[in-house]
Amino acid sequence: MAPTNDHPGERAAGDPVRLLAIRDTPLSVDEVFRAVGDDAAGGTALFVGTVRNHDGGQDVGALGYSCHPSAQDEMRRVAEKIVANFPVRALAAVHRVGDLQVGDLAVIVAVSCPHRAEAFAACRKLIDDLKHEVPIWKHQRFSDGTEEWVGAC
């Protein structure tokens, strides 16, 4: 769904990509939500990915994320593709790297658009593309001593 720009308020002022980061420190839902605040947005969608205590029928004991040096650039490319295909007022995405515990926030993405349906669709596409196209890898260590690497792309 391309931007309609039927009303001047639907055109984002400046760069709608407000926050992109890969961090080794805890993530903040409030920071991401504030980054996509926009008076012309009628809908804001936010997704928070957390470390769960299981995967594939196994108990997860520990987990770590690492990334390729190009990950930040790839995140920017994904964000710009979302902005080009949806009427995005503002967009933010942050992903954690390093060792995480069950319950920790691993990724937060948010999108604000003129209407809720657009915000939902853009946010879903953003997280799906981020997970499939940005070179961030998950290393899971299971409670039985086994481990696995999960590639994001």
Side-chain angles (χ1 to χ4, degrees):
M1 178 183 303
T4 61
N5 298 324
D6 291 336
H7 182 275
E10 291 185 8
R11 291 186 290 272
D15 186 0
V17 179
R18 305 272 177 85
L19 171 65
L20 294 177
I22 297 173
R23 298 184 175 152
D24 61 0
T25 56
L27 305 181
S28 165
V29 172
D30 289 340
E31 176 192 24
V32 174
F33 184 70
R34 279 192 309 272
V36 297
D38 191 289
D39 289 345
T44 298
L46 185 127
F47 172 81
V48 179
T50 57
V51 176
R52 64 181 174 267
N53 66 0
H54 69 282
D55 190 33
Q58 294 182 283
D59 292 332
V60 172
L63 182 144
Y65 284 96
S66 59
C67 68
H68 188 272
S70 68
Q72 186 83 25
D73 292 336
E74 289 302 309
M75 189 181 277
R76 165 66 65 176
R77 186 187 58 74
V78 166
E80 289 173 352
K81 184 170 60 170
I82 300 303
V83 168
N85 290 307
F86 294 89
V88 172
R89 296 291 308 170
L91 177 150
V94 293
H95 203 296
R96 182 91 184 266
V97 293
D99 293 328
L100 283 76
Q101 302 299 314
V102 170
D104 284 348
L105 306 183
V107 60
I108 307 169
V109 299
V111 178
S112 62
C113 293
H115 306 283
R116 73 176 175 274
E118 300 157 343
F120 280 128
C123 189
R124 171 122 195 194
K125 183 72 170 152
L126 175 59
I127 188 60
D128 288 349
D129 287 359
L130 188 147
K131 297 306 281 183
H132 289 105
E133 299 178 26
V134 178
I136 298 173
W137 306 286
K138 177 170 51 173
H139 183 211
Q140 297 186 117
R141 293 175 294 281
F142 300 106
S143 58
D144 67 2
T146 61
E147 58 185 51
E148 80 174 337
W149 283 91
V150 180
C153 53

